[in-house]
Amino acid sequence: MASATRHIFKRLFSNTARSATPEGAAYPFSKTALTPPAPKAAETEVERLRQGKRLMEFVHKTLSPPEKQALLQKYFSRRSKDVLQPGSIVTVLQDQAPTQFTGVLIAIRRRGQATSFRLRNILQRTGVEMQFFANSPSLKEIKVVRPPPKGRMRRAKLFYLRDAPDKMSALAGGRK
Amino acid sequence: MIGLKSTLNVIDNSGALLVECVNVLKNKVNNGHGSVGDEIVCVVKRARPISAATQASVNAVKVRKGDVRRAVIVRTRKQVRRPDGTMVRFDDNAAVLLNNKREMLGTRIGGIVSSDLRLKGWSKIVSIAPRVA
């Protein structure tokens, strides 16, 4: 009985280090602790990506150039101080036709890299709505001409303006 | 998305005001629906009254109600996608009348047109239009 317990004690509190201590670092606080073998040589980021690890995160970070990322951050991040507000008058400068489009911002669709916004204007007695994608390479600049009246509108999506030309012209006329 | 029975405003000075689509030409995709830049066959539903003087003159090509003509769609209420993802939507459907040789019947255009016409080969219309979006 005593020898059995002594055996157990011996095994639990043995002084000699056991098999398979590794190439890795020795555990500094005990000579008998087992440390598993160190992992294989670190994979490079490219190898990890090829295996599909953290691939979407990488895509979101590198899909558009840093100036575009800054634009997205400046105008669409909710915490930014220049964030676009629905109801403001915005001008968009593009590479393709129409090179310049101004309109009331009626909707912002936040979808990460696929974020887009809609501008509505009345040109030649016809309502025109355009949906611009923030990350598009042909989108050069976004300028806020006027902020929304009274600081904010009471809706996030101003689709009611399609049926209310008087409210549309009030926004365009610019009551403060 | 213009199909059979769709009505379009006519924005040139050919004399027609409202046109109803009867057939969309050369469009084997999209279920036979027409979009900006597609040629359609249409019936004139409403036209400006033609005075006797214009009736007599040979130059003026004025259309009457009930005429069957061809037209090209220049504005649609259904949004049209540009190659970079930009979408355009107008508040009405509009067309410009043509003759059988794809030439315009009218001489002036009174309204905004979509710039997708240029991609489809209607640069003549785009150049005459007062505003392009």
Side-chain angles (χ1 to χ4, degrees):
Chain A
M1 186 58 196
S3 64
T5 47
R6 237 183 89 239
H7 266 294
I8 291 167
F9 263 70
K10 219 172 160 185
R11 284 176 69 180
L12 284 174
F13 296 103
S14 150
N15 270 331
T16 55
R18 287 236 234 141
S19 65
T21 344
E23 317 95 43
Y27 184 60
F29 304 109
S30 163
K31 287 191 207 108
T32 56
L34 291 177
T35 44
K40 287 183 283 214
E43 303 165 328
T44 58
E45 198 188 305
V46 179
E47 278 166 22
R48 272 196 293 270
L49 285 172
R50 286 224 178 94
Q51 290 175 7
K53 296 181 180 173
R54 296 188 140 197
L55 193 57
M56 286 317 289
E57 194 183 311
F58 177 77
V59 169
H60 289 319
K61 282 205 188 103
T62 55
L63 187 66
S64 48
E67 310 84 48
K68 276 283 166 190
Q69 305 261 3
L71 190 111
L72 252 181
Q73 175 72 19
K74 178 179 179 197
Y75 289 112
F76 296 96
S77 163
R78 289 186 199 271
R79 291 180 168 202
S80 143
K81 97 181 146 59
D82 294 323
V83 66
L84 291 179
Q85 298 270 25
S88 47
I89 314 269
V90 174
T91 299
V92 161
L93 298 171
Q94 275 197 104
D95 268 349
Q96 55 182 16
T99 25
Q100 188 181 354
F101 190 84
T102 309
V104 180
L105 182 69
I106 58 171
I108 298 177
R109 185 175 194 264
R110 290 191 166 84
R111 293 289 188 278
Q113 299 297 308
T115 300
S116 65
F117 57 100
R118 281 177 177 254
L119 299 181
R120 182 179 167 81
N121 201 353
I122 308 223
L123 304 168
Q124 302 265 326
R125 298 173 304 274
T126 317
V128 184
E129 253 179 55
M130 287 196 76
Q131 183 176 17
F132 297 99
F133 285 82
N135 259 339
S136 164
S138 70
L139 190 94
K140 285 297 147 212
E141 213 185 316
I142 301 175
K143 282 194 243 181
V144 180
V145 173
R146 193 191 309 146
K150 297 201 177 128
R152 66 178 189 107
M153 303 294 279
R154 301 200 64 125
R155 289 271 162 303
K157 305 282 189 291
L158 312 177
F159 297 136
Y160 64 86
L161 290 176
R162 290 176 184 157
D163 303 315
D166 47 339
K167 295 203 176 91
M168 206 38 211
S169 44
L171 264 174
R175 51 187 165 83
K176 260 162 281 198
Chain B
M1 253 178 80
I2 308 293
L4 182 64
K5 287 302 237 185
S6 302
T7 49
L8 302 102
N9 298 327
V10 177
I11 57 169
D12 59 10
N13 61 348
S14 59
L17 289 172
L18 194 72
V19 168
E20 189 184 79
C21 174
V22 163
N23 191 15
V24 178
L25 299 173
K26 282 197 208 155
N27 211 346
K28 299 245 168 43
V29 298
N30 294 339
N31 262 324
H33 289 136
S35 183
V36 172
D38 288 335
E39 221 182 310
I40 62 169
V41 180
C42 54
V43 172
V44 178
K45 285 293 194 185
R46 235 187 1 214
R48 266 187 245 276
I50 302 177
S51 68
T54 24
Q55 240 178 35
S57 98
V58 188
N59 293 340
V61 180
K62 293 296 183 186
V63 293
R64 285 193 175 75
K65 180 180 161 191
D67 275 4
V68 176
R69 299 277 178 178
R70 295 215 171 169
V72 61
I73 303 170
V74 298
R75 291 202 294 255
T76 47
R77 205 176 248 162
K78 175 78 184 157
Q79 62 261 30
V80 178
R81 191 176 176 278
R82 302 253 165 95
D84 75 325
T86 310
M87 305 275 219
V88 201
R89 213 185 126 261
F90 298 91
D91 271 5
D92 66 344
N93 303 311
V96 161
L97 293 190
L98 307 170
N99 64 13
N100 285 7
K101 293 197 207 75
R102 285 171 67 111
E103 291 157 14
M104 272 180 66
L105 279 183
T107 47
R108 277 195 287 268
I109 294 185
I112 194 170
V113 298
S114 174
S115 77
D116 297 296
L117 287 172
R118 218 180 268 128
L119 297 170
K120 301 255 178 136
W122 299 98
S123 39
K124 190 106 183 291
I125 297 181
V126 172
S127 57
I128 305 183
R131 190 80 190 253
V132 180

